[in-house]
Amino acid sequence: TKTTKAVRKLKAKTTFALSGTPIENNLNELWSLFSIILPGLFQSKKAFNEMSEQRISEKITAFVLRRMKEDVLDDLPRKTETIEFIELSDEQKQLYQTQLSLIRSAVETLIEDDAFEQNRMRVLAGMTRLRQICCDPRLIDEEFEGSSAKLERLMEYLDEAKKNNKRIVLFSQFTSMLSIIRDILDKQGVDYHYLDGSTPKKERFDLTTRFNEGEKDLFLVSLRAGGTGLNLTGGDTVILYDSW
């Protein structure tokens, strides 16, 4: 990567690498790290790729200090996970059941025609629509005028959290869902930070720093955009609006 090439140009007497994820995740990452901290340990990328995992492990053992989760548990705040089940509103339920019937009918036809494997993406798209209906039916039908039980519960929770001085990071996979939430917050005069895939890298760092330093108590984040390189230590509550 460009980052790796840039770091290799830095001049230093001693070099350490700190990896946030287990280095066993990907051997290419391991090669990249050691090409910086101990160039020459592996003769070349080609030689590294031809080496067995056991041999690689033997060569790096003396240079790796691994901190296990159980070693740092006492330093971490206690985590509480809660799954909240919410009954769909009547309008949501009707739309959901209609969509479900259509998907079931389509799947049965595909199975009968022995064409399921070739059309798996169509089925997955249908399942995504069901999830969107649960979030807010307007995600699949802009003309929908009914209510969304989950959205109503979210707004109740955010109001409760504000009164209890909670600092919330709210994730959603759907940027269109975040737009709906933002519209409500704007009308209520609620201040928040927002980040999605279109947010420039420099601005992401600036937003996360400001949030971690105490600016604003709510951060809306697109799950795909926020899944990499964010360290939101300033929040004490995380909400995953749409389950996977």
Side-chain angles (χ1 to χ4, degrees), residues 104-148:
R104 281 180 173 160
S105 177
V107 169
E108 288 171 3
T109 301
L110 290 173
I111 292 173
E112 288 173 5
D113 296 342
D114 198 23
F116 183 84
E117 284 300 318
Q118 301 95 298
N119 291 275
R120 288 174 65 190
M121 293 308 296
R122 279 179 55 194
V123 177
L124 288 172
M127 293 171 67
T128 298
R129 285 197 298 275
L130 292 177
R131 291 178 53 222
Q132 289 174 317
I133 292 169
C134 292
C135 290
D136 191 298
R138 285 173 289 180
L139 296 183
I140 71 164
D141 181 5
E142 293 182 1
E143 303 300 319
F144 182 82
E145 295 182 352
S147 60
S148 164

Side-chain angles (χ1 to χ4, degrees), residues 41-74:
L41 180 67
F42 301 106
Q43 293 179 341
S44 66
K45 181 72 178 292
K46 184 174 183 295
F48 177 82
N49 288 333
E50 293 173 350
M51 203 174 288
S52 69
E53 289 187 10
Q54 182 177 350
R55 181 61 182 141
I56 292 172
S57 178
E58 291 170 353
K59 288 180 75 71
I60 69 170
T61 296
F63 306 106
V64 175
L65 175 65
R66 184 176 181 187
R67 191 165 64 160
M68 308 295 284
K69 185 177 179 181
E70 52 265 29
D71 297 332
V72 297
L73 279 179
D74 292 340

